Amino acid sequence: MKVTRMLSILFLGAGLLHGSAQAFELSFPSPLRNNSHTYYAHLPGMLPGGHSFFEGFIRSLAVWMDASGNIRLSAIDEEREACSDNSIGSTQNGVNTATFSDSFCGDDSYFAGPTVADAVTQTSWNPFAILESDIIFNEGRKPLFETVEHYFHHVAVHEIGHTLGFGHSAVRSAIMVSRLSHGRRDPVLSIDDRCALAMRYGNPADCPILLGEGLATNGRDTNARFVGGATTDRGWSFHQQFEPSDRITIYGTVVKDRSHARRPGNLHVVASTEDGVLFARHADGNFHPLADVESIPSAGELKIDLYAQDLVIIGTRHFGREPSVGPLIGTVYQLVGQTVYFYLAYSLDEEPGVYYYGSEPIRVSWSDD
Ligand SMILES: [Zn+2]
């Protein structure tokens, strides 16, 4: 059986790019086996608050479990080999671990040199289940983990998210954002992280920004789902009503039909005014009038290795993703007193002219008083 591996590397606050990162993303269609996972966590040392790293790791597991109710995560305080004997940079030995090390199973490229990662997680899976995950925390960062409050907890919650099958998020409030700003506060899951949990381990309806039912323009049933919303506070909250001067960012995520894994295609966004005038988002990030609804321009490429893929529909510049088009401001675009409806969709190269889309749009309204 084909087993796939993925590396997720976390750089904190260093301003570095990594991965093919993008609202929430799901790396692969497989969940945890039996929705449960046990780590052998050998994490000697103490956190700033007087608890051990092991206790801290348990607390990090609980952040996800408390938010889901459908997953069971546990850790055993026991030293086990993290690395495979077979090759450098491989953790695939059948044991889930969480450890400190100064190299990633003999590969020194992540924890040394100009790009220093706080942790690297390697996950392997087959089409049915996540088989193994290993989190290796950078031993060289231990002095920071030991002294900076919340730092280790942030990194651990993020890395555990990868072991649940979550990729990176474009939503700045998400714990799964590719560039975490650590410390200062206790990590909490954002709406985006909760939607990732709902899509993978819960009920899609538990995601508060689910865009209705998934539909196909050819009338076929689909289990595709669409998520998205407009925010002025980095995704901590999503709204429909805005003040004319609000700086609005709109995030969306396409969760592909399960039969569409590994099929190439495109993302699409269509905006409609109240009068039914249509615009399509182009790959350059801008919206242009839509002439033909049977042939919608691409807003970006559908990535075959992602099960769920996100898109910043409109928003301020963010890190290494789509082009920046700036926030949507009602006064700037003369939209005060108006409502604009944004529909999120995708298509497959093998089915030209067929669009999979969310039945409900993202609504953005500006009051005129
Ligand atoms: Zn990461």
Side-chain angles (χ1 to χ4, degrees):
M1 186 178 292
K2 186 173 185 291
V3 174
T4 315
R5 275 192 294 163
M6 189 180 77
L7 269 184
S8 302
I9 308 134
L10 179 63
F11 301 104
L12 278 176
L16 300 166
L17 278 168
H18 71 111
S20 62
Q22 297 263 329
F24 68 88
E25 291 193 329
L26 305 176
S27 310
F28 32 84
S30 333
L32 292 175
R33 254 181 304 195
N34 303 318
N35 286 3
S36 72
H37 211 64
T38 299
Y39 307 78
Y40 288 94
H42 181 62
L43 300 165
M46 300 297 279
L47 290 163
H51 293 280
S52 68
F53 280 109
F54 180 78
E55 288 168 314
F57 188 72
I58 296 277
R59 227 178 116 230
S60 303
L61 296 174
V63 168
W64 290 108
M65 275 193 293
D66 291 349
S68 166
N70 292 328
I71 51 174
R72 293 186 309 281
L73 307 172
S74 57
I76 298 166
D77 189 359
E78 190 177 313
E79 188 170 7
R80 291 289 193 98
E81 182 54 54
C83 302
S84 158
D85 292 337
N86 299 327
S87 62
I88 283 177
S90 171
T91 60
Q92 280 183 279
N93 64 351
V95 185
N96 306 315
T97 59
T99 53
F100 288 111
S101 179
D102 53 14
S103 90
F104 187 77
C105 296
D107 181 344
D108 293 328
S109 62
Y110 303 109
F111 295 162
T115 59
V116 177
D118 284 298
V120 176
T121 292
Q122 190 171 68
T123 301
S124 55
W125 68 93
N126 68 21
F128 307 103
I130 294 170
L131 303 174
E132 181 184 338
S133 292
D134 298 87
I135 302 170
I136 299 188
F137 295 99
N138 184 351
E139 179 91 48
R141 285 289 210 243
K142 215 167 166 185
L144 286 173
F145 293 148
E146 286 169 332
T147 53
V148 179
E149 197 129 23
H150 310 306
Y151 190 167
F152 177 78
H153 196 26
H154 261 102
V155 175
V157 173
H158 177 99
E159 297 304 319
I160 292 161
H162 283 313
T163 73
L164 298 174
F166 304 155
H168 285 130
S169 175
V171 178
R172 292 186 179 192
S173 61
I175 200 81
M176 295 313 295
V177 74
S178 60
R179 188 177 59 166
L180 272 178
S181 51
H182 53 78
R184 292 210 177 93
R185 57 175 179 80
D186 222 18
V188 292
L189 301 184
S190 70
I191 291 169
D192 186 70
D193 299 308
R194 289 170 185 275
C195 286
L197 268 178
M199 292 295 157
R200 175 54 60 78
Y201 296 104
N203 181 344
D206 294 339
C207 169
I209 52 171
L210 182 70
L211 300 173
E213 293 289 305
L215 299 175
T217 54
N218 64 1
R220 287 216 197 109
D221 283 345
T222 177
N223 54 39
R225 290 289 181 269
F226 300 83
V227 171
T231 180
T232 55
D233 60 3
R234 300 171 165 234
W236 287 113
S237 63
F238 290 91
H239 304 281
Q240 298 184 1
Q241 294 288 336
F242 294 91
E243 294 302 316
S245 60
D246 279 344
R247 301 170 64 83
I248 302 166
T249 299
I250 305 177
Y251 294 110
T253 296
V254 163
V255 185
K256 293 180 209 172
D257 188 286
R258 279 189 286 277
S259 68
H260 295 168
R262 306 209 62 79
R263 312 241 186 124
N266 288 283
L267 298 166
H268 306 277
V269 180
V270 173
S272 172
T273 66
E274 287 172 88
D275 300 332
V277 180
L278 301 180
F279 297 85
R281 184 191 184 279
H282 288 226
D284 65 4
N286 291 305
F287 281 80
H288 300 282
L290 175 61
D292 179 5
V293 292
E294 316 257 301
S295 175
I296 306 172
S298 171
E301 192 186 327
L302 197 64
K303 292 179 185 151
I304 59 166
D305 54 340
L306 291 173
Y307 170 56
Q309 180 178 345
D310 73 0
L311 180 75
V312 178
I313 294 170
I314 280 188
T316 47
R317 179 175 290 283
H318 68 289
F319 196 63
R321 298 285 182 84
E322 308 106 57
S324 172
V325 292
L328 183 60
I329 303 173
T331 46
V332 171
Y333 293 94
Q334 297 177 17
L335 293 163
V336 175
Q338 299 273 318
T339 300
V340 179
Y341 306 90
F342 294 88
Y343 289 89
L344 186 56
Y346 73 91
S347 61
L348 301 177
D349 290 350
E350 68 195 48
E351 295 178 328
V354 177
Y355 298 95
Y356 297 85
Y357 64 102
S359 61
E360 293 292 325
I362 298 164
R363 289 178 179 79
V364 181
S365 294
W366 292 266
S367 53
D368 54 2
D369 45 64

